[in-house]
Amino acid sequence: MGARKIKFEILQGIFENWLEPLDVIDLFDGTRIFDTGGMNIRGVKGSDDQARRTRVERFVECLERSCTDGSSVSIVQVVQELIDVLKEVKQYEWLVPLLEDEHFTTDFFECFRRMQKIDKLKDILGHLMPTLECIHAVEVAEYMVRHFLNENEREEIENLARTKSNSNAVCSLLHKLIYKKPTWIDHFIEAIKMLNYSGSDTGLCENHTLVELLQDYCGCFNLEEAMEEMVIVEDAEQLSKSSSYVPSNRNIDLSGTKTKQKECQIPTESIPSSSEDKEAPQVLRKYQEELCKIALQGENVVICAPTNSGKTTVAASIIREHLAKETNAKVIFFTPTGGLAEQQFRKLKWYLINHRDKISLLHGGIEEGFDRDDGKTIYSHDVIVMTPQILLNCIEKKKVHSICDFTLLVFDECHHTRMSHPYCEIMRKVLQSVAEQREPHYATPRPQRNIQIVGLTATLGIGAAESEDDAEKYIFAVLGMMNATGGLAMVTDPKNLDELNDHCPPAPEETVYIEHGEDLFQACLLKGGAKILNLLTTIKDFSLLQISWGISQGINERFNPEFQSWCRKVRHAAEHHSGDSEDSLGRDAKSCAECLLVLIDVQRMKENCHPKYAYTQLEKFAEERFAEHSQKNTQMEKELYGILLDIMKELQNCVEEAENKMLDIITERIEKKNQEDRDFRCMVMVSRRLYAECFKKYVKTTPLLGDLGCEMYIGVGRKSGSDTPGMTHKKQGETIKAFNEGKFRVLVCTPDAAGEGVDIPNCSLVITVECVNNEIKEVQLKGRARKTNSEVLHIHLGQPDPRDSLPAKKEILMKKVTGKVHKLCNRNLAAYKKKLTEGRINAFQEIEESRKRKAPTKPKLHTDEDTLLCRHCSTPICYVSNIVKINGNHHTIDDNNFQTMYKSNSHKKSGEELSKTGMTHVNRICCVECPQDWGNEVEWKGRLIPILGVKGFKIKDRRGKIHSPSQWCRTGLNIASVKATVEVEQFLEKFPRRTEDLKSSAICEG
């Protein structure tokens, strides 16, 4: 019943605009559709539009009644009889292909939803549809796959031509093309010309050309809204294969089609002269023309414009002009992340049609597991979209000869050009190459090749600056590193500013403070924390750690950041303290500090997520940290476990009753937006991946929100200290695509992943929770709200704090100083360039000072008598002289007793290859005395070998001092390598074979 109802609702929507029932009602005599219904329709008198619409309503009601559940007439029969009647009335012939299309309930509903000029469309279709009957839709679709259609769309058109008619297929083809780029008309005409449809027999009206009709046809629909909703996903390999193929109009089997192709042709004069090498000009808005003016003159420039203003479009226009003017041009488009690289790659393929086969994509997340040749890819393409580290790696490995091989470098989100970011290293190489080209001491003059630099950003930032002078120094440091000698491009023309504000108006912002009063949940945590803190004071020789501030301060009414910092200091000091007995100072102090940190984390989770997820986190820690190894726990660890059990017992009674005001506010706001806009999208920004995972579960289990759907969008890889693994670039792309398509409406994100550049046109509600801490995030996060009538809600936990308003104040200061710098460039270029040089010098000094601060101290040299200990329980393992390297840089222990000192657990990557080494993951290994992770057990050459991770161990020297290195290269050990084949075979005999191999051997012997 539901599907039939939808079908008739759409019919009514179509007929209300185009049909006069009195024109066709008499033709239904003798059919099964109308009995007394015809009288009801004729009974509506009047020639006005309202009377006609009433007749249409009754007409559709008659159609629906004729196929009710008790009738033997199906909806297919009713629609077919309706089509047969419409075929007899010439003025309604063009409606037949729409009604014959089995997909019109979905595809064409969107088409009619965006319809604007219905009366004009009637006239256009009256001329256009008869004309296009002379072309074959399948052949044109094959040609359009080169630039506009994907394979699924082409197959759909081919199926319509076979199962329905060529007219149906032509109508579907037009419907798909109107939502593509405007240049589709030129390629459509080009396809007609190349497929030999042009000739003298036209079928066109004297006052129309085909180009005009197609343009007028597009003008009848709200294409701007459709373009904003589009997500372009293309397969570069398929495009490259199809780009050279132009189908012949004689090599397609058309035997299954119902309508034979007509032998008429379209006149050549209606086809504009065009060349395959000529690209249709890209239409920029006036403010975009102002933004790209300096760059089109070949100058180095930083383009600063608001989010959603079309900076990528501006960059594409600059790249197109550069490729046209520069001999042997080669362009790199840098993005700070792989996910953003894939998005910009798709956009550039869309904008640069004639260069799409010469555009490539490189970042660390693609083609994993394959030996790709980045250098070959770079030199075989004209435009390469990549993350900056890829280029640095290629230069280091000599896959790229020199930075001078490129003529244009575009830096997306160029405000990252600070300190140790790869953008800085690339610009250092550019500036160095420029300086070397000017050196006079070369025997042979070096060729002068200009490298143009273009930066794109919405926020230059001001760092820690609080005054205009400091903010100016910061901005000039960024501009200096970008070598922006051409200045700072901004929209300043009043008319262009009006256009910019109309196109991307700022979304209204609201700030809410949620004060969590003390409840039973928090009281239980504070009570347990006080017990653990008191227990920590009873540790013998605790004063040796030289940390006592937290104990004298005590636990106040909340776990404040200062107390959390103190707990981390205790943990760090305990890790570096020696002790081999069960009552060791280091182990017990570390266990107490870890328990306090977990309670603090649970309290934060209770405020940021539902309390039940916080309780689950505490339960998980207690189980993994103490319960699984209860027999190996020290006396103090047993007491700690008892305290945690008491806390959890008390929390069980209040978990379900505990409230979270933040979740209530978010739920209310999302539900309100859903009622206002059924096609809304909401992005919720949280500070941690764990919170994102919990919020996703909350949305899916909440009755008011469950139907909306929710997914996560977080960063790539695993973050230190995070239990939530990151997403792959592929998964990120799939998630954004599904979100744009409306498969779910709520996307919970972390700012590092979704804060910059992610394009979601339909996002109309952005909610941030305690994650806006600087002016850049202030601008970028609220810039995700791009739909008309969008809203931004900032949620802060706790009482109003002056620091909460600091990002907004710094944003105002940043905009003020940015405008000041722009005016200086326009009024006094010499003064601007002087400050630019000073900014560059200051930036290099800051980088050098940062490197000195971060430079690692010389590693301590250890002797062979030094001992390797478990980092957690301080169990002696072996002398450091027993550590060896195998198969490259993988560390293991040459000691038969070592196999009894660890136990194996299942590995989630079991069976997967370890970084193309020939080794295969089998198990995780940990200390038998405690849960400390020691590394992996891998299979190599049929043997099970433990591979050690240095973070599971610490080194005790002869004086009893403990060292806890974070990398093997920082241990100061002179570790021997087993390299020779004979040595490797002899060494591997010390390790057991896999169980499967032993079973196979036993079967063979049996």
Side-chain angles (χ1 to χ4, degrees), residues 782-810:
K782 67 185 181 183
R784 300 312 105 205
R786 300 190 170 187
K787 196 175 181 180
T788 306
N789 299 324
S790 296
E791 300 175 20
V792 178
L793 175 63
H794 299 296
I795 296 179
H796 295 283
L797 305 178
Q799 296 178 348
D801 190 320
R803 290 174 294 184
D804 296 334
S805 60
L806 187 59
K809 292 179 180 178
K810 294 181 74 172

Side-chain angles (χ1 to χ4, degrees), residues 287-321:
Y287 73 83
Q288 291 174 327
E289 292 178 356
E290 183 179 354
L291 288 173
C292 66
K293 183 177 180 181
I294 299 175
L296 292 178
Q297 297 171 1
E299 297 286 343
N300 294 352
V301 65
V302 169
I303 298 173
C304 187
T307 57
N308 197 32
S309 58
K311 292 186 290 294
T312 307
T313 308
V314 171
S317 181
I318 295 169
I319 292 172
R320 179 191 292 106
E321 293 297 319

Side-chain angles (χ1 to χ4, degrees), residues 25-204:
I25 190 67
D26 293 332
L27 299 176
F28 282 91
D29 292 338
T31 68
R32 293 167 290 183
I33 295 181
F34 294 95
D35 41 25
T36 59
M39 297 297 297
N40 292 333
I41 296 172
R42 295 186 182 93
V44 179
K45 304 298 183 180
S47 58
D48 60 304
D49 190 67
Q50 182 58 43
R52 185 188 62 80
R53 287 177 180 267
T54 303
R55 288 192 288 270
V56 168
E57 184 178 348
R58 296 187 180 185
F59 180 81
V60 176
E61 287 176 357
C62 290
L63 293 176
E64 187 174 5
R65 279 201 307 269
S66 63
C67 58
T68 56
D69 294 335
S71 173
S72 60
V73 182
S74 68
I75 186 173
V76 176
Q77 292 173 316
V78 171
V79 174
Q80 187 57 52
E81 290 183 4
L82 176 62
I83 290 171
D84 292 340
V85 168
L86 293 178
K87 286 180 178 178
E88 299 179 26
V89 183
K90 186 172 182 61
Q91 67 188 88
Y92 296 124
E93 280 184 336
W94 59 271
L95 269 176
V96 171
L98 302 184
L99 300 180
E100 285 185 337
D101 188 346
E102 60 184 355
H103 302 293
F104 88 101
T105 56
T106 54
D107 290 347
F108 286 108
F109 181 79
E110 284 298 303
C111 179
F112 293 123
R113 181 174 68 84
R114 297 194 178 102
M115 196 168 295
Q116 292 181 321
K117 302 174 182 177
I118 297 170
D119 293 331
K120 184 177 180 181
L121 185 63
K122 294 180 185 178
D123 179 66
I124 293 170
L125 288 176
H127 296 292
L128 185 61
M129 294 306 291
T131 301
L132 295 183
E133 285 182 357
C134 67
I135 73 169
H136 201 288
V138 177
E139 295 180 354
V140 178
E142 287 279 3
Y143 184 89
M144 300 301 284
V145 166
R146 296 178 60 195
H147 302 298
F148 297 94
L149 301 178
N150 58 42
E151 278 299 317
N152 291 336
E153 291 172 325
R154 187 200 61 77
E155 290 177 3
E156 183 180 337
I157 291 169
E158 184 176 359
N159 289 334
L160 281 174
R162 291 181 182 277
T163 59
K164 292 292 183 179
S165 68
N166 184 62
S167 298
N168 282 84
V170 169
C171 190
S172 179
L173 174 63
L174 279 182
H175 167 64
K176 295 180 187 308
L177 289 175
I178 61 174
Y179 298 115
K180 307 297 182 180
K181 300 189 302 293
T183 51
W184 74 265
I185 295 178
D186 296 332
H187 289 266
F188 187 89
I189 298 295
E190 183 179 342
I192 292 174
K193 186 175 182 179
M194 295 192 67
L195 295 172
N196 298 321
Y197 291 131
S198 58
S200 56
D201 187 4
T202 70
L204 284 174

Side-chain angles (χ1 to χ4, degrees), residues 662-687:
M662 181 202 73
L663 293 178
D664 294 341
I665 291 175
I666 292 177
T667 302
E668 179 184 353
R669 188 58 60 93
I670 293 177
E671 179 62 22
K672 178 183 176 183
K673 200 67 178 176
N674 184 36
Q675 293 175 357
E676 295 174 355
D677 180 7
R678 290 295 178 179
D679 194 35
F680 86 107
R681 307 285 189 278
C682 172
M683 296 179 71
V684 180
M685 305 285 185
V686 295
S687 57

Side-chain angles (χ1 to χ4, degrees), residues 345-518:
F345 169 72
R346 292 193 296 269
K347 286 189 174 183
L348 290 180
K349 296 275 282 187
W350 184 20
Y351 294 138
L352 305 175
I353 298 174
N354 286 352
H355 301 278
R356 65 190 312 155
D357 297 330
K358 287 295 184 179
I359 303 176
S360 184
L361 172 67
L362 289 174
H363 64 75
I366 59 176
E367 298 188 53
E368 293 178 346
F370 295 90
D371 295 324
R372 72 181 190 208
D373 189 343
D374 290 348
K376 182 178 180 181
T377 302
I378 289 172
Y379 284 111
S380 60
H381 292 81
D382 295 337
V383 181
I384 308 98
V385 183
M386 65 167 70
T387 49
Q389 193 60 47
I390 295 293
L391 180 62
L392 293 176
N393 294 343
C394 288
I395 293 175
E396 181 182 356
K397 296 175 183 178
K398 308 299 182 184
K399 293 183 177 180
V400 169
H401 309 139
S402 169
I403 196 74
C404 296
D405 292 342
F406 307 99
T407 56
L408 172 61
L409 303 181
V410 180
F411 293 81
D412 198 11
E413 309 296 346
C414 68
H415 55 267
H416 288 292
T417 316
R418 293 282 299 169
M419 306 303 284
S420 59
H421 196 277
Y423 278 3
C424 270
E425 182 60 21
I426 288 175
M427 283 308 304
R428 188 189 66 79
K429 292 182 179 296
V430 171
L431 294 168
Q432 183 180 2
S433 68
V434 172
E436 288 177 351
Q437 287 181 352
R438 295 171 181 170
E439 291 293 332
H441 58 265
Y442 289 105
T444 303
R446 302 188 66 179
Q448 293 286 332
R449 185 163 192 183
N450 179 49
I451 306 175
Q452 185 181 2
I453 308 297
V454 174
L456 309 173
T457 186
T459 53
L460 285 168
I462 57 173
E466 296 181 358
S467 65
E468 289 190 23
D469 290 341
D470 291 340
E472 185 179 282
K473 289 179 182 178
Y474 185 98
I475 290 176
F476 269 112
V478 175
L479 295 176
M481 287 303 300
M482 290 296 298
N483 197 28
T485 54
L488 183 63
M490 299 175 64
V491 180
T492 56
D493 184 277
K495 293 182 179 179
N496 294 344
L497 277 173
D498 291 340
E499 183 186 31
L500 175 62
N501 294 329
D502 290 340
H503 178 69
C504 45
E509 299 178 65
E510 180 184 354
T511 301
V512 175
Y513 288 90
I514 301 175
E515 184 176 355
H516 291 280
E518 184 173 346

